[in-house]
């Protein structure tokens, strides 16, 4: 189980809608991961279970979509993921000792957006 490495992906427009199911379809196609996840697919997520890395269900907290043929972080996805990590919508099932690393990853994108993560307000 692990937090994905910070990719410093470009940001999509702040007003871009976030639809995780639609984004997942585009990311799978972009990554060439229609049959099983791969390293490119992993870049769109904050966390995955390394023991089941070849299963789509092992990937959690998606924050990116394919925009103009390029993988970009969607600000609304970052905000959504931050809420889930903080317990919204029932929270997320990841090891407690990895939550701070996920928050640190999210905080880097918040800084890139010129904002402060909710847990620092």
């Amino acid at each position: 189980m692990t937090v994905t490495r910070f990719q410093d992906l470009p940001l999509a427009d702040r007003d871009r809608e976030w639809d995780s199911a639609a984004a997942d379809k585009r990311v799978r196609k972009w990554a060439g991961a229609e049959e099983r996840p791969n390293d490119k697919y992993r870049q769109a997520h904050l966390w995955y279970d390394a023991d089941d890395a070849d299963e789509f269900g092992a990937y959690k907290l998606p924050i990116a979509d394919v925009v103009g043929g390029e993988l970009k972080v969607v600000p609304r996805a970052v905000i959504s993921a931050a809420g889930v990590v903080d317990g919204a919508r029932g929270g997320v099932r990841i090891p407690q000792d990895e939550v701070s690393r996920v928050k640190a990853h999210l905080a880097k994108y918040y800084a890139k957006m010129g904002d402060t993560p909710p847990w620092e307000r």
Side-chain angles (χ1 to χ4, degrees):
M1 299 181 202
T2 190
V3 177
T4 57
R5 185 173 53 86
F6 180 70
Q7 303 291 316
D8 198 16
L9 296 169
L11 293 174
D13 291 336
R14 187 148 181 123
D15 62 347
R16 182 178 178 85
E17 293 294 324
W18 175 242
D19 179 336
S20 63
D24 187 64
K25 289 178 185 177
R26 288 186 289 270
V27 169
R28 286 183 190 203
K29 184 176 181 179
W30 169 85
E34 286 94 347
E35 299 297 320
R36 66 183 41 193
N38 59 25
D39 291 339
K40 285 179 76 174
Y41 180 80
R42 184 175 305 133
Q43 294 175 23
H45 300 81
L46 292 172
W47 187 91
Y48 71 103
D49 183 343
D51 293 336
D52 289 325
D54 60 344
E55 300 293 330
F56 287 110
Y59 294 79
K60 298 183 186 233
L61 302 169
I63 59 167
D65 195 354
V66 179
V67 181
E70 182 180 13
L71 190 64
K72 293 187 176 186
V73 168
V74 178
R76 290 183 184 195
V78 170
I79 293 164
S80 176
V84 170
V85 168
D86 247 4
R89 291 187 257 150
V92 63
R93 294 182 132 191
I94 63 172
Q96 190 59 39
D97 62 334
E98 294 186 358
V99 170
S100 63
R101 291 180 53 222
V102 167
K103 285 182 173 182
H105 192 140
L106 283 166
K108 290 176 183 177
Y109 282 116
Y110 266 95
K112 196 169 182 171
M113 295 183 320
D115 206 348
T116 304
W119 52 85
E120 292 180 10
R121 293 183 191 144

